Amino acid sequence: MALATRRTRRERGLNYWPSYVDALSTLLLVIVFLLSIFVLGQFFLTQEIAGRDTALDRLNRQIAELTDLLALERAQRRDTEDELAALQSTLSATEEEQARLESLLAAGIGLDERAAALTEQLDLERDETRRALNQVDILNQQLAALRRQIGALEAALEASEQRDRESQARIADLGSRLNVALAQRVQELARFRSDFFGRLRQIIGTRPDIRIVGDRFVFQSEVLFPPGQASLRAGPQPELESMARAILELSDEIPPDIPWIVRVDGHTDIRPINTAQFPSNWYLSAARAIAVVDYLIEAGVPPERLLAAGFGEFQPLDTAETDEAYARNRRIEFKLTER
């Protein structure tokens, strides 16, 4: 009886597994495809993570794609498990068939060769089942590794967002501090400008041809220049001497980190000039401003604290077309300002 049983197991030979082998091949291809997608996603993630907002969007899309692939793989795994259950059911049916054949053999029906073939086939199927179970274990391990990779990507994304928020906060703080510092510098310069005009007023005194207009100290051109000329009047220039003295006194008091200058602006009236020396009012106004700057430099004022500018007839104080308006508009202005 035992000999008959062994023969029955050797003679079993039904082929139940071609479809299962195809399923395993498909599963291996899916695994290779997933690994390729994962490596490609890692490469693009490394390239794009420094791109801040754009890189964050791309990373989110890659995570979504990986999540979709993970869901697909889970579906494939479920299908594989279903197929495995079907194979196990078939194996149970085969075992039942084996038991039936063994009972028939015990009853005297000679089916030794078929029983041996079925036994061999059953062994093969059991080997295939073990390999399938091993593949399922490997797939579970790979899925766990993929989850760990996704967790690492999410942690890196969160760290990048935190660094971005901290950078924005530091930038806002630096901007606020810079605005405060600039406001302090403007206030300091305004205070020195007020002191400067006060000293000039004390030194020069009250004269109708020298006055303060807004934040500028204004000399009528006739005080310094002959009509239509850019050379200072012959002889001493007490007004410019007073101006140079006030600038030098002020330069000793203003902190060196404040970039201040005295801007000398030349202005003319609207009546055009056209000579070989001065083709237009621009040339005349600029030449007068430069002549005043040269005089202040000779009086000891550092040249880096001076600026000469010509405005021609385009910045009038009085738009009337009278001799009084023309006289007001022909002027030299001094303005203490920032460089």
Side-chain angles (χ1 to χ4, degrees):
M1 181 68 180
L3 179 59
T5 300
R6 287 194 298 272
R7 288 179 179 178
T8 301
R9 292 177 179 176
R10 285 194 304 269
E11 290 175 0
R12 293 180 180 178
L14 295 178
N15 187 3
Y16 291 93
W17 294 97
S19 62
Y20 182 68
V21 172
D22 293 339
L24 287 180
S25 300
T26 304
L27 180 60
L28 290 176
L29 291 176
V30 170
I31 292 171
V32 172
F33 175 73
L34 283 177
L35 291 176
S36 301
I37 292 296
F38 176 71
V39 171
L40 185 60
Q42 285 285 71
F43 173 76
F44 282 110
L45 176 63
T46 303
Q47 293 294 321
E48 296 295 332
I49 197 168
R52 298 177 59 181
D53 294 338
T54 303
L56 295 179
D57 293 338
R58 291 181 182 175
L59 184 58
N60 288 332
R61 289 196 296 270
Q62 290 178 358
I63 290 175
E65 292 174 358
L66 290 176
T67 303
D68 294 338
L69 290 176
L70 181 60
L72 177 62
E73 183 56 34
R74 287 175 178 171
Q76 292 290 343
R77 178 186 173 186
R78 286 194 296 269
D79 293 339
T80 302
E81 290 175 349
D82 293 339
E83 291 177 1
L84 180 61
L87 290 174
Q88 289 176 346
S89 177
T90 302
L91 179 60
S92 298
T94 303
E95 290 175 348
E96 291 175 0
E97 178 68 15
Q98 179 184 1
R100 188 182 67 81
L101 290 175
E102 287 176 351
S103 65
L104 290 175
L105 186 61
I109 301 176
L111 299 174
D112 292 342
E113 293 181 357
R114 181 167 178 78
L118 290 174
T119 301
E120 184 179 357
Q121 182 66 30
L122 178 61
D123 292 337
L124 293 175
E125 291 177 353
R126 286 174 177 173
D127 292 338
E128 292 292 336
T129 302
R130 285 193 296 270
R131 284 195 291 271
L133 291 175
N134 292 334
Q135 291 293 334
V136 170
D137 292 337
I138 293 173
L139 181 59
N140 288 332
Q141 295 175 3
Q142 292 174 346
L143 289 176
L146 184 59
R147 292 191 188 98
R148 290 193 296 271
Q149 291 290 341
I150 293 175
L153 292 175
E154 292 175 347
L157 176 61
E158 183 178 357
S160 177
E161 291 175 346
Q162 180 63 27
R163 287 194 299 271
D164 184 65
R165 288 192 294 268
E166 293 174 354
S167 298
Q168 293 296 333
R170 286 196 296 269
I171 291 172
D173 180 62
L174 289 175
S176 176
R177 291 165 60 185
L178 178 61
N179 290 334
V180 171
L182 290 175
Q184 291 175 349
R185 286 290 181 266
V186 170
Q187 291 176 357
E188 291 180 5
L189 188 60
R191 178 173 60 83
F192 288 119
R193 184 185 295 117
S194 178
D195 294 343
F196 177 63
F197 287 159
R199 291 179 185 179
L200 284 177
R201 191 181 293 110
Q202 292 176 359
I203 293 172
I204 296 176
T206 303
R207 293 180 51 176
D209 52 2
I210 300 176
R211 63 190 186 280
I212 294 177
V213 178
D215 59 350
R216 293 158 292 169
F217 209 84
V218 180
F219 284 59
Q220 295 307 127
S221 294
E222 287 73 9
V223 176
L224 304 174
F225 300 97
Q229 299 296 320
S231 299
L232 293 171
R233 293 183 181 277
Q237 299 290 336
E239 296 82 5
L240 293 183
E241 291 289 345
S242 300
M243 178 67 68
R245 185 165 64 253
I247 294 173
L248 291 173
E249 291 176 359
L250 184 67
S251 65
D252 295 333
E253 299 179 10
I254 298 179
D257 58 337
I258 297 180
W260 65 274
I261 58 170
V262 175
R263 197 180 76 191
V264 181
D265 299 336
H267 298 267
T268 67
D269 57 36
I270 63 173
R271 293 176 296 184
I273 186 173
N274 187 1
T275 65
Q277 185 178 6
F278 306 115
S280 68
N281 288 340
W282 284 108
Y283 287 86
L284 178 59
S285 61
R288 285 181 171 178
I290 293 172
V292 173
V293 166
D294 289 339
Y295 189 92
L296 294 176
I297 292 174
E298 291 178 359
V301 178
E304 64 272 12
R305 297 298 183 185
L306 295 171
L307 171 65
F311 289 86
E313 70 272 22
F314 300 104
Q315 301 291 331
L317 296 178
D318 191 339
T319 57
E321 296 184 4
T322 63
D323 292 338
E324 291 78 9
Y326 295 156
R328 289 192 64 199
N329 292 333
R330 294 191 301 271
R331 66 196 187 277
I332 296 293
E333 295 181 350
F334 297 86
K335 180 177 180 180
L336 179 65
T337 184
E338 289 183 288
R339 185 171 64 247

